[in-house]
Amino acid sequence: MEKLLTDLLKYYLGLDDYSLELHLKEVNTAIKERVATIDDLQVIIYSNDHNPPHFHVKTKNLNIDAKFKIENCELISGELSSKDLKKIKAFYLSPKGKMVLELIWNKRK
């Protein structure tokens, strides 16, 4: 938790006055990039997210809200059915799955 708070503090202290004001006015200022949609599962990377490099898997109704490491597709948090987990692993192991996730993460950092 301390690492997360330290990273957030560094991020906000690094903003200019205008950007900070925008952040304070907006409820959700994280820029998200949808990487893929698999049935109702959205694979998302947030531009101002913390390390380790990871991606989120969510449904619109937030029944699923999980995080996976980009390095190896290890589940960091959240719960998914085995059926949905297989879908995410299949996307990750597809010819361009991991590569696209890494490119988007690195582009945002």
Short mmCIF file of all heavy atoms in Angstrom, two decimals, residues 2-15 20:
data_model
loop_
_atom_site.label_atom_id
_atom_site.label_comp_id
_atom_site.label_asym_id
_atom_site.label_seq_id
_atom_site.Cartn_x
_atom_site.Cartn_y
_atom_site.Cartn_z
N GLU A 2 1.97 1.21 0.76
CA GLU A 2 2.86 2.38 0.85
C GLU A 2 3.44 2.71 -0.53
O GLU A 2 3.52 3.88 -0.91
CB GLU A 2 3.98 2.11 1.85
CG GLU A 2 4.89 3.30 2.05
CD GLU A 2 5.97 3.01 3.08
OE1 GLU A 2 5.71 2.25 4.03
OE2 GLU A 2 7.06 3.55 2.91
N LYS A 3 3.83 1.68 -1.29
CA LYS A 3 4.39 1.88 -2.62
C LYS A 3 3.36 2.54 -3.53
O LYS A 3 3.68 3.48 -4.27
CB LYS A 3 4.83 0.53 -3.19
CG LYS A 3 5.20 0.54 -4.65
CD LYS A 3 6.57 1.12 -4.89
CE LYS A 3 6.98 0.91 -6.32
NZ LYS A 3 7.24 2.11 -7.04
N LEU A 4 2.13 2.09 -3.46
CA LEU A 4 1.06 2.66 -4.28
C LEU A 4 0.86 4.14 -3.93
O LEU A 4 0.78 4.98 -4.82
CB LEU A 4 -0.23 1.88 -4.08
CG LEU A 4 -1.47 2.43 -4.78
CD1 LEU A 4 -1.28 2.42 -6.28
CD2 LEU A 4 -2.68 1.61 -4.40
N LEU A 5 0.81 4.44 -2.65
CA LEU A 5 0.62 5.82 -2.23
C LEU A 5 1.80 6.70 -2.63
O LEU A 5 1.62 7.84 -3.05
CB LEU A 5 0.38 5.89 -0.72
CG LEU A 5 -0.93 5.27 -0.25
CD1 LEU A 5 -1.02 5.28 1.26
CD2 LEU A 5 -2.13 5.99 -0.84
N THR A 6 3.00 6.16 -2.53
CA THR A 6 4.19 6.91 -2.93
C THR A 6 4.15 7.22 -4.42
O THR A 6 4.42 8.35 -4.84
CB THR A 6 5.47 6.11 -2.60
OG1 THR A 6 5.50 5.87 -1.19
CG2 THR A 6 6.72 6.86 -3.01
N ASP A 7 3.78 6.23 -5.24
CA ASP A 7 3.67 6.43 -6.68
C ASP A 7 2.61 7.47 -7.02
O ASP A 7 2.80 8.32 -7.89
CB ASP A 7 3.37 5.12 -7.40
CG ASP A 7 4.55 4.17 -7.43
OD1 ASP A 7 5.68 4.60 -7.12
OD2 ASP A 7 4.34 3.00 -7.79
N LEU A 8 1.47 7.40 -6.34
CA LEU A 8 0.41 8.38 -6.58
C LEU A 8 0.86 9.78 -6.21
O LEU A 8 0.60 10.74 -6.94
CB LEU A 8 -0.85 8.01 -5.78
CG LEU A 8 -1.70 6.90 -6.36
CD1 LEU A 8 -2.81 6.52 -5.38
CD2 LEU A 8 -2.30 7.30 -7.68
N LEU A 9 1.53 9.91 -5.08
CA LEU A 9 2.01 11.21 -4.63
C LEU A 9 3.00 11.78 -5.64
O LEU A 9 2.92 12.95 -6.02
CB LEU A 9 2.65 11.09 -3.25
CG LEU A 9 3.07 12.39 -2.59
CD1 LEU A 9 1.89 13.34 -2.44
CD2 LEU A 9 3.68 12.11 -1.23
N LYS A 10 3.94 10.96 -6.10
CA LYS A 10 4.91 11.41 -7.11
C LYS A 10 4.19 11.87 -8.37
O LYS A 10 4.55 12.87 -8.98
CB LYS A 10 5.89 10.29 -7.46
CG LYS A 10 6.95 10.05 -6.43
CD LYS A 10 7.87 8.93 -6.88
CE LYS A 10 8.87 8.55 -5.81
NZ LYS A 10 9.69 7.41 -6.21
N TYR A 11 3.18 11.11 -8.77
CA TYR A 11 2.43 11.46 -9.97
C TYR A 11 1.77 12.82 -9.82
O TYR A 11 1.92 13.70 -10.67
CB TYR A 11 1.38 10.38 -10.25
CG TYR A 11 0.46 10.74 -11.39
CD1 TYR A 11 0.88 10.62 -12.71
CD2 TYR A 11 -0.81 11.20 -11.16
CE1 TYR A 11 0.05 10.97 -13.76
CE2 TYR A 11 -1.66 11.56 -12.20
CZ TYR A 11 -1.21 11.43 -13.49
OH TYR A 11 -2.04 11.77 -14.53
N TYR A 12 1.03 13.02 -8.73
CA TYR A 12 0.30 14.27 -8.56
C TYR A 12 1.23 15.45 -8.33
O TYR A 12 0.97 16.55 -8.79
CB TYR A 12 -0.73 14.15 -7.43
CG TYR A 12 -1.94 13.38 -7.87
CD1 TYR A 12 -2.17 12.09 -7.44
CD2 TYR A 12 -2.85 13.93 -8.76
CE1 TYR A 12 -3.27 11.37 -7.87
CE2 TYR A 12 -3.95 13.23 -9.20
CZ TYR A 12 -4.16 11.95 -8.75
OH TYR A 12 -5.24 11.25 -9.18
N LEU A 13 2.35 15.25 -7.64
CA LEU A 13 3.30 16.34 -7.43
C LEU A 13 3.99 16.74 -8.72
O LEU A 13 4.46 17.87 -8.86
CB LEU A 13 4.34 15.95 -6.37
CG LEU A 13 3.82 15.87 -4.94
CD1 LEU A 13 4.90 15.37 -4.00
CD2 LEU A 13 3.30 17.23 -4.47
N GLY A 14 4.04 15.83 -9.68
CA GLY A 14 4.68 16.11 -10.96
C GLY A 14 3.79 16.84 -11.95
O GLY A 14 4.24 17.25 -13.02
N LEU A 15 2.53 17.01 -11.61
CA LEU A 15 1.60 17.68 -12.53
C LEU A 15 1.75 19.19 -12.45
O LEU A 15 2.01 19.75 -11.39
CB LEU A 15 0.15 17.32 -12.17
CG LEU A 15 -0.27 15.87 -12.36
CD1 LEU A 15 -1.68 15.66 -11.82
CD2 LEU A 15 -0.20 15.47 -13.81
N LEU A 20 -3.30 19.49 -12.62
CA LEU A 20 -3.76 19.15 -11.27
C LEU A 20 -5.20 19.62 -11.07
O LEU A 20 -6.02 18.90 -10.51
CB LEU A 20 -2.83 19.76 -10.22
CG LEU A 20 -3.16 19.43 -8.77
CD1 LEU A 20 -3.15 17.92 -8.55
CD2 LEU A 20 -2.16 20.11 -7.85
#
